[in-house]
Amino acid sequence: MNQHEIIITPTLTDLPLLARCHRKSFPKALSTAMGQAYVEKMLEWYIVDEHAFIFYLKLGNTCIGYCGGLLVDGQYVKGSASSMIQHSFNQAVKAILVRPWLLLHSEFLSKYRLVVKNIFRRMKKPRRLGKQKVALKTVPHTGLIVIGVDPAYQGKGYGSILLAEFENQSKLRKYSHMMLTVLQSNKAAIESYRRNGWEITRQEGNALVMEKSIN
């Protein structure tokens, strides 16, 4: 990384910049189709949730890539997908009311059960759960939830810079193990993770779990 590129820990005022980068990085994603306001609300979760974190790579006045993660430490916390859905629920409803055809989007259909589950959860009277311990199936770790690079800057090593920073962020939070899930069909991403020291540890349906330990 040269002196013109800097890593930024975003505040809420950076959300429009982050959202534009996300929509460029994932042009076919359901979230992108739901509009700028929804993406901003979705990414806001990484800033306001105490178990999540996010950072981005800035070149000049442009966000050229970003990365978001989750702390998996055994404290009471819903999965990242459900937490994000709950956080951006109202904005998602507004987006779908304006664009009802999104109900037929392939990504929505593939997550139908998760969406219905969270609708029922939304309807229930909230309980004061506080922090509770849950049984971890693995060691405490940071989960890499999302990483995106603006297509105009892909193939220039920025993905590796973001992965290196994810390691730094994990170390700062006293975590020595990292995990991610990637679709088995995403060969380019898998190869990039491998080049950066990640290893495939198991397969879950059509996805692969990759892990890396750090000192």
Side-chain angles (χ1 to χ4, degrees):
M1 186 167 65
N2 62 48
Q3 61 182 349
H4 302 295
E5 301 144 5
I6 56 174
I7 295 290
I8 303 290
T9 298
T11 63
L12 296 179
T13 57
D14 294 309
L15 284 171
L17 198 66
L18 275 171
R20 286 193 291 272
C21 181
H22 173 89
R23 298 182 75 194
K24 290 179 182 178
S25 302
F26 305 102
K28 297 182 180 179
L30 174 62
S31 55
T32 295
M34 292 174 73
Q36 177 77 7
Y38 172 78
V39 176
E40 289 183 22
K41 191 65 178 179
M42 178 188 76
L43 294 175
E44 182 185 78
W45 173 78
Y46 288 97
I47 297 175
V48 302
D49 192 288
E50 64 178 346
H51 287 90
F53 62 96
I54 193 170
F55 57 88
Y56 71 94
L57 185 58
K58 188 177 183 180
L59 179 60
N61 294 320
T62 304
C63 170
I64 63 174
Y66 77 101
C67 185
L70 179 71
L71 307 179
V72 184
D73 57 3
Q75 297 294 327
Y76 176 79
V77 61
K78 297 185 288 291
S80 60
S82 290
S83 295
M84 205 177 300
I85 288 173
Q86 290 296 316
H87 180 77
S88 57
F89 188 88
N90 290 339
Q91 192 61 49
V93 171
K94 292 178 183 178
I96 291 175
L97 286 175
V98 174
R99 308 171 181 85
W101 57 87
L102 293 179
L103 293 173
L104 299 178
H105 192 287
S106 59
E107 192 176 333
F108 181 88
L109 295 175
S110 69
K111 297 177 179 179
Y112 178 76
R113 291 185 178 179
L114 178 64
V115 172
V116 171
K117 177 182 176 182
N118 277 278
I119 290 174
F120 278 107
R121 178 179 288 164
R122 190 79 176 186
M123 294 169 63
K124 289 181 178 179
K125 185 178 180 179
R127 294 180 297 168
R128 293 179 176 270
L129 292 175
K131 288 188 175 181
Q132 298 178 3
K133 290 288 184 178
V134 295
L136 283 177
K137 297 180 180 179
T138 184
V139 297
H141 62 273
T142 52
L144 196 161
I145 306 302
V146 65
I147 181 170
V149 176
D150 185 324
Y153 298 92
Q154 290 178 6
K156 299 180 180 180
Y158 293 121
S160 293
I161 290 174
L162 290 170
L163 288 174
E165 181 60 24
F166 187 82
E167 291 188 25
N168 290 335
Q169 295 287 333
S170 297
K171 290 177 183 178
L172 287 173
R173 291 167 172 78
K174 309 300 182 184
Y175 285 80
S176 60
H177 196 72
M178 307 179 298
M179 296 180 67
L180 64 83
T181 302
V182 59
L183 289 176
Q184 192 173 6
S185 59
N186 195 345
K187 304 298 183 183
I190 294 170
E191 181 56 32
S192 176
Y193 294 136
R194 278 177 162 164
R195 286 198 306 270
N196 285 279
W198 294 71
E199 298 181 351
I200 297 172
T201 55
R202 66 181 183 275
Q203 182 171 346
E204 294 183 351
N206 62 350
L208 299 174
V209 175
M210 301 185 74
E211 304 181 41
K212 182 177 180 180
S213 294
I214 51 180
N215 298 322

